[in-house]
Amino acid sequence: MKFSIIVVSLNEGKELKKTVDSVLNQTYRDFEVIVKDGGSIDGSPAYLIKEKQVKLIISKDKSLYDAMNQAVEKATGDYVFFLNCGDYLMD
């Protein structure tokens, strides 16, 4: 069972990294992380480029829900789970 974990972001700074790291540190490995960035100017999504399990989508959106829908279109998992920046998955 594969999970698509979606994080929507815009200028979230270190919160984005903490949220994505909490997902990447899970012991269950059948997941993808999709980060939909609305065009951050703080450089926050830059470190994600080297993460193999992270699909980074950078494009303008009209709203939070538009961003979420854009990310869902790229999801390949059996289940979709949304995390906001600043949220964390427990170990």
Side-chain angles (χ1 to χ4, degrees):
M1 175 173 17
K2 182 177 180 180
F3 292 89
S4 295
I5 301 169
I6 295 174
V7 181
V8 176
S9 173
L10 180 63
N11 296 320
E12 292 294 339
K14 294 179 183 177
E15 292 301 313
L16 175 61
K17 181 174 179 4
K18 289 178 187 177
T19 298
V20 172
D21 285 347
S22 79
V23 176
L24 295 177
N25 290 329
Q26 297 299 306
T27 56
Y28 186 82
R29 303 306 304 166
D30 197 9
F31 64 85
E32 66 182 351
V33 180
I34 301 171
V35 175
K36 167 52 181 85
D37 185 83
S40 293
I41 58 172
D42 68 350
S44 55
Y47 90 99
L48 298 173
I49 295 168
K50 63 184 173 196
E51 297 292 345
K52 292 179 183 176
Q53 269 187 293
V54 177
K55 292 181 185 177
L56 179 59
I57 304 165
I58 300 174
S59 63
K60 294 285 185 188
D61 49 70
K62 297 174 188 164
S63 67
L64 172 66
Y65 299 109
D66 182 39
M68 293 167 81
N69 287 329
Q70 287 179 27
V72 167
E73 290 176 359
K74 304 295 184 184
T76 62
D78 301 305
Y79 293 94
V80 175
F81 186 78
F82 291 94
L83 279 176
N84 292 317
C85 286
D87 291 346
Y88 312 106
L89 287 181
M90 299 299 291
D91 293 339

